[in-house]
Amino acid sequence: VRRLSRSIHQSFRVDRKARAARAGAEIETALAAGHLQDSWKMMQAWYREAGDRPQLPSQGDLDAVTLERQDLYSRRQPPGEPIPVLVEPFNISDALPSEEEIAVAVGRLHRGKAPGPSAMRVDHFKKWYAESVREKEPDRTRWDALVELVQHCYSTGNLPQEAAWMTTVLLPITDGGVRGIGLVEALWKLLAAIINARLSTITFHDSLHGFRASRGTGTAIFEAKLFQQLAQIA
């Protein structure tokens, strides 16, 4: 029965290839004769469902996006003089992050995010911290290693070479092209969370909405409309 089934499936594949070649020749003949409608109908017969789903990216698309990202993050010389600071600068802490500060930053990270090349996730950080503070038989081995690594990055300004790698993912877009995103290591997210927490002490002008929690473009538009309505009433 197995031999007969394999023979039947092989015959189907051979027949399918022959029919595809014959249909391709007929479509080319119709196109050469200028019969676009007939060629389109013959082509539709080979598809069960037609949709607008973009074509999957190719290796050439991946190479192009990789070169684009390399150029985007390459080191460049400053274009000119530094931007003058016309306001009183804020004193942002640049001290070595403590274990408590690292634990708070880990607690603010979101679970379930796509990992980087090492497959290390934020879920691992949370699990290691939970293991270090549990009442019965706490295990601080991996959590202490993470704390030591974060403090080393802040004290020396250096990162492991592997931490600078990223996984490039190509997302097809409707116009037929692709858009590339880079999946960075979870360590970057942890370091960024510590920096963001320290920068949150900066007091921005009330009319600014960028870099402020719960104050985006929608808030700015809403406030502008309110000001216009109040001015009209007054």
Side-chain angles (χ1 to χ4, degrees):
V1 173
R2 288 196 297 268
R3 287 196 297 269
L4 182 59
S5 297
R6 287 196 295 267
S7 177
I8 292 175
H9 287 300
Q10 184 177 3
S11 299
F12 280 154
R13 287 195 294 270
V14 173
D15 181 63
R16 191 179 300 113
K17 290 181 179 179
R19 288 188 293 113
R22 185 169 57 254
E26 293 176 355
I27 292 173
E28 290 180 353
T29 302
L31 288 174
H35 301 154
L36 300 181
Q37 191 68 24
D38 295 339
S39 62
W40 174 248
K41 289 182 179 180
M42 287 186 289
M43 187 178 297
Q44 279 184 320
W46 285 84
Y47 290 89
R48 296 181 181 179
E49 181 181 357
D52 297 331
R53 185 174 181 178
Q55 185 179 3
L56 294 177
S58 63
Q59 184 64 37
D61 297 329
L62 177 60
D63 295 339
V65 172
T66 301
L67 293 176
E68 180 181 350
R69 296 190 69 86
Q70 289 177 353
D71 179 70
L72 178 64
Y73 294 105
S74 61
R75 184 183 296 273
R76 291 182 175 86
Q77 292 295 331
E81 296 295 329
I83 299 176
V85 179
L86 304 179
V87 296
E88 187 69 23
F90 286 85
N91 185 19
I92 305 299
S93 175
D94 198 23
L96 202 66
S98 63
E99 180 180 350
E100 292 75 14
E101 187 178 6
I102 297 174
V104 172
V106 169
R108 292 176 177 174
L109 297 177
H110 298 287
R111 296 179 179 268
K113 298 298 183 179
S118 69
M120 186 182 300
R121 296 176 177 269
V122 173
D123 306 64
H124 296 143
F125 297 164
K126 296 180 180 290
K127 178 182 178 182
W128 298 345
Y129 176 71
E131 292 175 350
S132 67
V133 297
R134 63 189 177 190
E135 296 182 359
K136 296 182 178 180
E137 299 180 357
D139 183 8
R140 297 185 54 89
T141 305
R142 289 178 289 190
W143 173 252
D144 288 342
L146 177 63
V147 172
E148 183 180 357
L149 177 59
V150 172
Q151 293 178 345
H152 172 78
C153 295
Y154 270 86
S155 61
T156 63
N158 297 323
L159 284 172
Q161 182 179 2
E162 291 79 1
W165 297 349
M166 70 173 61
T167 301
T168 302
V169 180
L170 302 183
L171 302 179
I173 53 182
T174 55
D175 61 357
V178 293
R179 179 174 64 88
I181 61 173
L183 303 180
V184 299
E185 291 290 351
L187 177 63
W188 281 101
K189 301 177 182 179
L190 177 56
L191 299 176
I194 298 174
I195 296 175
N196 290 336
R198 294 182 175 183
L199 292 178
S200 62
T201 59
I202 300 177
T203 303
F204 291 97
H205 193 276
D206 189 62
S207 63
L208 298 178
H209 293 76
F211 302 100
R212 303 183 65 182
S214 303
R215 294 181 68 87
T217 306
T219 308
I221 296 174
F222 182 69
E223 290 184 359
K225 289 182 177 179
L226 285 179
F227 287 144
Q228 293 174 7
Q229 293 175 2
L230 291 175
Q232 185 178 6
I233 294 174

